[in-house]
Amino acid sequence: VDDDVKDVTMDMGNSLLPLNDLKRIDAEQARELERATVEVLNSGYWLNGPRCKDFCEAFSRYIDVAYCVGVGNGTDALEIALRTVMTDYKNRYRSAMRNEVVTVANAGGYTSTACFSVGLVPVYIDIEWGSQLADIESLSAAINERTLAVVATHLYGGVVDVPAIRELLKSRDLDHVVIIEDCAQAHGAMCRGRRVGSFGDIATFSFYPTKNLGAAGDGGLIASHRMDFETTIRALHQYGWSKKYTISYSGGRNSRLDELQAAILHAKLPRLDAANARRREILDAYASACPDGITMVESPLGGVAHLAVLLAEDRDRLRRHLDAQSIAADIHYPVLDCDQAGWMDEKYRVVGGLEVSRASVERILTLPCFPTMTADEVARVCRALQAYKP
Ligand SMILES: Cc1ncc(COP(=O)(O)O)c(C=O)c1O
Protein backbone atom coordinates (compact mmCIF):
# COMPACT_ATOMS: atom_id res chain seq x y z
CA VAL A 1 0.00 0.00 0.00
CA ASP A 2 2.80 2.36 0.92
CA ASP A 3 4.38 1.88 -2.49
CA ASP A 4 1.07 2.61 -4.21
CA VAL A 5 0.71 5.79 -2.24
CA LYS A 6 4.24 6.80 -3.12
CA ASP A 7 3.63 6.19 -6.83
CA VAL A 8 0.47 8.28 -6.81
CA THR A 9 2.19 11.25 -5.14
CA MET A 10 5.06 10.97 -7.61
CA ASP A 11 2.61 10.98 -10.52
CA MET A 12 1.08 14.14 -9.15
CA GLY A 13 4.55 15.69 -9.25
CA ASN A 14 4.58 16.12 -5.49
CA SER A 15 7.69 14.15 -4.65
CA LEU A 16 10.27 16.33 -2.97
CA LEU A 17 12.54 18.02 -5.45
CA PRO A 18 15.80 18.36 -3.50
CA LEU A 19 18.40 21.11 -3.76
CA ASN A 20 20.88 18.49 -4.89
CA ASP A 21 20.96 14.71 -5.26
CA LEU A 22 24.37 13.06 -5.22
CA LYS A 23 22.90 9.56 -5.63
CA ARG A 24 22.17 10.29 -9.28
CA ILE A 25 25.23 9.10 -11.17
CA ASP A 26 24.95 7.78 -14.73
CA ALA A 27 25.97 4.17 -15.26
CA GLU A 28 29.17 4.91 -17.16
CA GLN A 29 30.39 7.41 -14.56
CA ALA A 30 29.48 4.93 -11.79
CA ARG A 31 31.67 2.29 -13.46
CA GLU A 32 34.55 4.78 -13.77
CA LEU A 33 34.30 5.76 -10.12
CA GLU A 34 34.07 2.14 -9.02
CA ARG A 35 37.13 1.23 -11.09
CA ALA A 36 39.11 4.19 -9.71
CA THR A 37 38.13 3.32 -6.13
CA VAL A 38 39.00 -0.36 -6.40
CA GLU A 39 42.34 0.46 -8.03
CA VAL A 40 43.31 2.75 -5.17
CA LEU A 41 42.22 0.26 -2.51
CA ASN A 42 44.12 -2.55 -4.19
CA SER A 43 47.23 -0.41 -4.64
CA GLY A 44 47.76 -0.15 -0.88
CA TYR A 45 48.94 3.42 -1.53
CA TRP A 46 46.36 5.62 0.16
CA LEU A 47 48.17 8.87 0.87
CA ASN A 48 50.97 10.82 -0.85
CA GLY A 49 50.89 8.54 -3.87
CA PRO A 50 50.69 8.85 -7.65
CA ARG A 51 46.94 9.62 -7.86
CA CYS A 52 47.17 12.91 -5.97
CA LYS A 53 50.15 13.90 -8.11
CA ASP A 54 48.36 12.91 -11.36
CA PHE A 55 45.16 14.71 -10.43
CA CYS A 56 47.03 17.87 -9.39
CA GLU A 57 48.87 17.85 -12.72
CA ALA A 58 45.63 17.36 -14.65
CA PHE A 59 43.92 20.14 -12.71
CA SER A 60 46.93 22.38 -13.23
CA ARG A 61 46.59 21.88 -17.01
CA TYR A 62 42.82 22.40 -16.81
CA ILE A 63 43.04 25.80 -15.09
CA ASP A 64 46.39 26.64 -16.69
CA VAL A 65 48.24 27.39 -13.48
CA ALA A 66 51.76 26.04 -13.00
CA TYR A 67 51.53 24.56 -9.50
CA CYS A 68 48.74 22.72 -7.72
CA VAL A 69 48.91 21.16 -4.25
CA GLY A 70 46.14 18.89 -2.99
CA VAL A 71 44.94 19.55 0.58
CA GLY A 72 42.27 18.25 2.94
CA ASN A 73 39.44 20.70 2.18
CA GLY A 74 38.67 24.22 0.97
CA THR A 75 38.94 25.88 4.38
CA ASP A 76 42.39 24.38 4.93
CA ALA A 77 43.27 25.63 1.45
CA LEU A 78 42.35 29.19 2.47
CA GLU A 79 44.16 28.88 5.79
CA ILE A 80 47.36 27.52 4.21
CA ALA A 81 47.18 30.12 1.43
CA LEU A 82 46.92 32.93 4.00
CA ARG A 83 49.73 31.48 6.09
CA THR A 84 51.86 31.25 2.95
CA VAL A 85 51.30 34.95 2.28
CA MET A 86 52.10 35.80 5.92
CA THR A 87 55.28 33.71 5.81
CA ASP A 88 56.41 35.39 2.61
CA TYR A 89 55.72 38.86 4.02
CA LYS A 90 57.48 38.16 7.34
CA ASN A 91 60.52 36.74 5.59
CA ARG A 92 60.80 39.76 3.34
CA TYR A 93 60.08 42.55 5.79
CA ARG A 94 60.48 41.02 9.29
CA SER A 95 57.22 42.80 10.10
CA ALA A 96 53.66 41.94 11.02
CA MET A 97 52.25 45.33 10.16
CA ARG A 98 50.21 44.09 7.24
CA ASN A 99 47.60 41.93 8.90
CA GLU A 100 44.33 42.76 7.11
CA VAL A 101 42.53 40.57 4.59
CA VAL A 102 39.87 42.30 2.51
CA THR A 103 36.89 40.10 1.76
CA VAL A 104 33.09 40.02 1.57
CA ALA A 105 30.76 39.23 4.47
CA ASN A 106 28.19 37.18 2.51
CA ALA A 107 30.25 34.13 1.50
CA GLY A 108 29.55 31.67 4.27
CA GLY A 109 32.36 32.48 6.70
CA TYR A 110 35.10 30.26 5.25
CA THR A 111 37.60 33.07 4.66
CA SER A 112 36.86 34.50 8.10
CA THR A 113 37.41 31.08 9.70
CA ALA A 114 40.79 30.85 7.98
CA CYS A 115 41.73 34.44 8.95
CA PHE A 116 40.89 33.92 12.60
CA SER A 117 42.78 30.66 12.79
CA VAL A 118 46.00 32.30 11.54
CA GLY A 119 45.55 35.57 13.44
CA LEU A 120 44.68 37.86 10.51
CA VAL A 121 41.94 40.50 10.54
CA PRO A 122 39.14 40.22 7.96
CA VAL A 123 37.95 43.53 6.56
CA TYR A 124 34.43 43.24 5.20
CA ILE A 125 33.47 45.13 2.08
CA ASP A 126 30.09 45.45 0.39
CA ILE A 127 28.84 43.60 -2.69
CA GLU A 128 27.14 44.45 -5.98
CA TRP A 129 23.41 43.81 -6.02
CA GLY A 130 23.02 41.88 -9.28
CA SER A 131 26.02 39.58 -8.93
CA GLN A 132 26.32 39.45 -5.12
CA LEU A 133 30.09 39.70 -5.66
CA ALA A 134 32.69 42.11 -4.23
CA ASP A 135 32.01 45.75 -5.01
CA ILE A 136 35.10 47.47 -6.38
CA GLU A 137 34.30 50.89 -4.84
CA SER A 138 33.91 49.35 -1.42
CA LEU A 139 37.16 47.48 -1.99
CA SER A 140 38.83 50.74 -2.90
CA ALA A 141 37.72 52.21 0.45
CA ALA A 142 39.08 49.19 2.35
CA ILE A 143 42.65 48.88 1.09
CA ASN A 144 45.51 50.62 2.85
CA GLU A 145 49.06 50.06 4.11
CA ARG A 146 47.81 47.33 6.46
CA THR A 147 46.33 45.23 3.65
CA LEU A 148 48.12 41.91 3.28
CA ALA A 149 45.72 40.18 0.89
CA VAL A 150 42.41 40.43 -0.91
CA VAL A 151 40.29 37.28 -1.09
CA ALA A 152 38.12 37.39 -4.21
CA THR A 153 35.34 34.84 -3.70
CA HIS A 154 33.76 33.64 -6.94
CA LEU A 155 30.46 33.12 -5.15
CA TYR A 156 27.58 31.03 -6.52
CA GLY A 157 29.69 30.19 -9.57
CA GLY A 158 29.96 33.85 -10.64
CA VAL A 159 33.25 35.50 -11.59
CA VAL A 160 34.85 38.40 -9.72
CA ASP A 161 36.74 40.83 -11.95
CA VAL A 162 40.21 40.02 -10.58
CA PRO A 163 42.10 42.04 -13.24
CA ALA A 164 40.09 45.12 -12.14
CA ILE A 165 41.20 44.49 -8.54
CA ARG A 166 44.78 44.19 -9.75
CA GLU A 167 44.50 47.52 -11.59
CA LEU A 168 43.05 49.19 -8.52
CA LEU A 169 45.88 47.91 -6.31
CA LYS A 170 48.44 49.13 -8.83
CA SER A 171 46.88 52.56 -9.06
CA ARG A 172 47.22 52.88 -5.27
CA ASP A 173 50.84 51.65 -5.14
CA LEU A 174 49.69 48.48 -3.44
CA ASP A 175 50.97 46.01 -6.06
CA HIS A 176 52.50 43.91 -3.26
CA VAL A 177 49.03 42.99 -1.94
CA VAL A 178 48.39 39.35 -2.74
CA ILE A 179 45.14 38.38 -4.48
CA ILE A 180 43.73 35.02 -3.43
CA GLU A 181 40.86 33.69 -5.52
CA ASP A 182 38.45 31.48 -3.59
CA CYS A 183 37.21 29.20 -6.37
CA ALA A 184 35.32 26.74 -4.14
CA GLN A 185 32.06 27.50 -5.99
CA ALA A 186 33.41 28.16 -9.46
CA HIS A 187 35.47 25.24 -10.78
CA GLY A 188 35.89 25.68 -14.49
CA ALA A 189 34.34 29.15 -14.79
CA MET A 190 35.84 31.10 -17.69
CA CYS A 191 36.38 34.82 -18.04
CA ARG A 192 37.92 36.39 -21.17
CA GLY A 193 39.19 32.97 -22.24
CA ARG A 194 40.83 32.04 -18.95
CA ARG A 195 39.68 29.86 -16.07
CA VAL A 196 39.16 31.26 -12.61
CA GLY A 197 42.10 30.39 -10.42
CA SER A 198 44.52 31.67 -13.04
CA PHE A 199 44.00 35.41 -12.39
CA GLY A 200 45.23 35.82 -8.83
CA ASP A 201 48.50 35.05 -7.06
CA ILE A 202 47.01 32.04 -5.29
CA ALA A 203 43.72 30.20 -5.82
CA THR A 204 41.93 27.85 -3.47
CA PHE A 205 39.41 25.14 -4.29
CA SER A 206 37.08 22.94 -2.26
CA PHE A 207 35.97 19.54 -3.53
CA TYR A 208 33.16 19.16 -1.00
CA PRO A 209 30.77 16.62 -2.56
CA THR A 210 28.17 19.15 -3.77
CA LYS A 211 30.72 21.42 -5.46
CA ASN A 212 30.82 21.60 -9.27
CA LEU A 213 33.76 19.21 -9.02
CA GLY A 214 33.03 17.19 -5.91
CA ALA A 215 34.82 14.33 -4.16
CA ALA A 216 33.21 11.46 -2.24
CA GLY A 217 34.21 13.18 0.98
CA ASP A 218 36.42 16.16 1.78
CA GLY A 219 39.09 17.52 -0.54
CA GLY A 220 40.74 20.78 -1.52
CA LEU A 221 43.52 22.27 -3.62
CA ILE A 222 45.76 25.33 -3.74
CA ALA A 223 47.03 26.66 -7.07
CA SER A 224 49.67 29.29 -7.82
CA HIS A 225 51.81 30.52 -10.69
CA ARG A 226 54.56 31.37 -8.19
CA MET A 227 57.17 28.73 -7.45
CA ASP A 228 58.15 30.36 -4.14
CA PHE A 229 54.53 30.16 -2.98
CA GLU A 230 54.31 26.54 -4.07
CA THR A 231 57.38 25.64 -1.99
CA THR A 232 55.83 27.22 1.11
CA ILE A 233 52.37 25.73 0.47
CA ARG A 234 53.87 22.27 0.02
CA ALA A 235 55.78 22.58 3.29
CA LEU A 236 52.93 24.08 5.32
CA HIS A 237 50.46 21.38 4.32
CA GLN A 238 52.71 18.71 5.82
CA TYR A 239 54.00 19.87 9.21
CA GLY A 240 56.27 22.57 7.76
CA TRP A 241 58.59 19.95 6.29
CA SER A 242 61.04 21.00 3.60
CA LYS A 243 61.93 17.33 3.43
CA LYS A 244 60.84 14.36 5.48
CA TYR A 245 61.13 15.05 9.23
CA THR A 246 62.92 18.36 8.60
CA ILE A 247 60.82 21.32 9.67
CA SER A 248 61.85 24.51 7.90
CA TYR A 249 58.61 26.46 8.25
CA SER A 250 56.72 27.37 11.38
CA GLY A 251 52.91 27.17 11.23
CA GLY A 252 52.81 23.86 9.38
CA ARG A 253 50.01 21.35 9.81
CA ASN A 254 48.70 18.17 8.28
CA SER A 255 46.19 18.62 5.46
CA ARG A 256 46.37 16.22 2.53
CA LEU A 257 44.18 15.21 -0.40
CA ASP A 258 43.99 11.43 -0.10
CA GLU A 259 44.51 9.03 -2.99
CA LEU A 260 40.91 7.85 -3.10
CA GLN A 261 39.52 11.37 -3.43
CA ALA A 262 42.19 12.31 -5.96
CA ALA A 263 41.34 9.29 -8.14
CA ILE A 264 37.61 10.07 -7.95
CA LEU A 265 38.18 13.73 -8.83
CA HIS A 266 40.44 12.79 -11.72
CA ALA A 267 37.77 10.45 -13.09
CA LYS A 268 35.16 13.22 -12.84
CA LEU A 269 37.26 16.07 -14.25
CA PRO A 270 36.65 15.32 -17.98
CA ARG A 271 32.89 15.77 -17.41
CA LEU A 272 33.14 19.05 -15.52
CA ASP A 273 32.58 21.35 -18.52
CA ALA A 274 29.48 19.45 -19.64
CA ALA A 275 28.08 19.45 -16.10
CA ASN A 276 28.73 23.20 -15.85
CA ALA A 277 26.96 23.80 -19.17
CA ARG A 278 23.91 21.94 -17.86
CA ARG A 279 23.93 24.02 -14.65
CA ARG A 280 24.04 27.14 -16.84
CA GLU A 281 21.00 25.97 -18.82
CA ILE A 282 19.07 25.47 -15.60
CA LEU A 283 19.95 28.96 -14.35
CA ASP A 284 18.95 30.46 -17.71
CA ALA A 285 15.61 28.62 -17.62
CA TYR A 286 14.88 30.01 -14.15
CA ALA A 287 15.90 33.52 -15.25
CA SER A 288 13.36 33.35 -18.11
CA ALA A 289 10.63 32.07 -15.78
CA CYS A 290 11.06 34.68 -13.03
CA PRO A 291 8.08 37.01 -12.72
CA ASP A 292 8.68 40.78 -12.44
CA GLY A 293 10.10 41.56 -9.04
CA ILE A 294 12.23 38.43 -8.81
CA THR A 295 15.71 38.26 -10.34
CA MET A 296 18.27 35.50 -10.57
CA VAL A 297 21.73 36.47 -9.33
CA GLU A 298 24.05 36.67 -12.35
CA SER A 299 27.67 37.65 -12.77
CA PRO A 300 28.16 39.83 -15.89
CA LEU A 301 31.53 38.15 -16.53
CA GLY A 302 30.04 34.68 -16.88
CA GLY A 303 29.94 31.76 -14.51
CA VAL A 304 29.15 28.14 -13.83
CA ALA A 305 25.91 28.35 -11.83
CA HIS A 306 27.10 26.54 -8.73
CA LEU A 307 23.98 27.72 -6.94
CA ALA A 308 20.80 29.16 -8.46
CA VAL A 309 20.19 32.11 -6.16
CA LEU A 310 17.38 34.61 -6.61
CA LEU A 311 16.54 37.93 -5.00
CA ALA A 312 12.92 38.42 -3.94
CA GLU A 313 11.26 41.12 -1.87
CA ASP A 314 9.24 38.70 0.29
CA ARG A 315 11.62 35.76 0.20
CA ASP A 316 9.90 33.85 3.00
CA ARG A 317 6.52 33.92 1.22
CA LEU A 318 8.16 32.63 -1.96
CA ARG A 319 9.83 29.90 0.08
CA ARG A 320 6.45 28.83 1.47
CA HIS A 321 5.02 28.83 -2.07
CA LEU A 322 7.80 26.49 -3.23
CA ASP A 323 7.49 24.36 -0.12
CA ALA A 324 3.78 23.85 -0.83
CA GLN A 325 4.86 22.32 -4.14
CA SER A 326 7.55 20.19 -2.50
CA ILE A 327 10.38 22.15 -4.07
CA ALA A 328 13.34 22.50 -1.72
CA ALA A 329 14.94 25.90 -1.19
CA ASP A 330 17.61 27.19 1.14
CA ILE A 331 19.50 30.37 2.02
CA HIS A 332 23.17 30.77 1.15
CA TYR A 333 24.02 32.31 3.53
CA PRO A 334 21.60 33.45 6.22
CA VAL A 335 24.05 35.35 8.48
CA LEU A 336 26.76 37.81 7.41
CA ASP A 337 30.20 37.01 8.82
CA CYS A 338 30.25 40.25 10.82
CA ASP A 339 26.99 39.25 12.52
CA GLN A 340 28.01 35.74 13.58
CA ALA A 341 27.57 35.43 17.34
CA GLY A 342 30.58 33.14 17.68
CA TRP A 343 32.87 35.82 16.28
CA MET A 344 31.71 38.71 18.48
CA ASP A 345 35.06 38.76 20.26
CA GLU A 346 37.20 38.33 17.16
CA LYS A 347 39.02 41.26 15.60
CA TYR A 348 37.54 42.40 12.28
CA ARG A 349 36.74 45.64 10.49
CA VAL A 350 33.65 46.62 8.52
CA VAL A 351 33.84 49.14 5.68
CA GLY A 352 30.79 51.44 5.61
CA GLY A 353 27.33 50.11 6.35
CA LEU A 354 27.36 47.04 4.04
CA GLU A 355 23.99 48.29 2.77
CA VAL A 356 23.76 45.89 -0.18
CA SER A 357 24.93 42.89 1.83
CA ARG A 358 22.35 43.64 4.51
CA ALA A 359 19.50 44.18 2.04
CA SER A 360 20.46 41.00 0.18
CA VAL A 361 20.66 38.67 3.15
CA GLU A 362 16.92 39.21 3.68
CA ARG A 363 16.09 38.54 0.02
CA ILE A 364 18.27 35.68 -1.25
CA LEU A 365 16.85 32.22 -1.86
CA THR A 366 18.54 29.22 -3.46
CA LEU A 367 16.62 26.94 -5.85
CA PRO A 368 17.49 23.35 -6.87
CA CYS A 369 20.31 23.35 -9.43
CA PHE A 370 22.40 20.29 -10.18
CA PRO A 371 23.49 18.78 -13.49
CA THR A 372 21.47 15.57 -13.15
CA MET A 373 18.15 17.41 -12.76
CA THR A 374 15.65 16.17 -15.31
CA ALA A 375 13.94 18.47 -17.82
CA ASP A 376 10.66 17.80 -15.98
CA GLU A 377 12.14 18.90 -12.70
CA VAL A 378 13.50 22.11 -14.19
CA ALA A 379 10.11 22.75 -15.79
CA ARG A 380 8.44 22.15 -12.43
CA VAL A 381 10.54 24.85 -10.77
CA CYS A 382 9.89 27.20 -13.71
CA ARG A 383 6.13 26.64 -13.43
CA ALA A 384 6.26 27.35 -9.70
CA LEU A 385 8.15 30.60 -10.36
CA GLN A 386 5.72 31.64 -13.10
CA ALA A 387 2.74 30.92 -10.86
CA TYR A 388 4.08 33.09 -8.05
CA LYS A 389 2.62 36.59 -7.63
CA PRO A 390 5.30 38.80 -6.02
C1 LIG B 1 33.15 29.88 -1.13
C2 LIG B 1 33.65 28.75 -0.27
N1 LIG B 1 34.88 28.83 0.24
C3 LIG B 1 35.39 27.84 1.00
C4 LIG B 1 34.65 26.72 1.30
C5 LIG B 1 35.23 25.71 2.23
O1 LIG B 1 35.35 24.46 1.67
P1 LIG B 1 35.33 23.15 2.58
O2 LIG B 1 33.92 22.88 2.96
O3 LIG B 1 35.90 22.10 1.68
O4 LIG B 1 36.21 23.41 3.77
C6 LIG B 1 33.36 26.58 0.74
C7 LIG B 1 32.50 25.41 0.92
O5 LIG B 1 32.20 24.74 1.73
C8 LIG B 1 32.85 27.63 -0.04
O6 LIG B 1 31.63 27.56 -0.57
Side-chain angles (χ1 to χ4, degrees), residues 73-75 78 107 110 153 155 182 184-185 206 208 211 218-219 333:
N73 57 66
T75 313
L78 282 164
Y110 309 103
T153 308
L155 196 67
D182 179 352
Q185 302 196 2
S206 162
Y208 182 80
K211 299 302 189 208
D218 273 320
Y333 295 90

Side-chain angles (χ1 to χ4, degrees), residues 290-328:
C290 278
D292 286 347
I294 296 185
T295 46
M296 295 308 298
V297 172
E298 290 270 6
S299 133
L301 294 182
V304 287
H306 170 62
L307 294 174
V309 177
L310 57 74
L311 288 158
E313 210 45 55
D314 192 348
R315 178 258 317 274
D316 296 329
R317 185 162 69 85
L318 173 58
R319 194 173 187 177
R320 287 194 296 278
H321 168 81
L322 295 168
D323 189 52
Q325 294 167 66
S326 299
I327 296 171

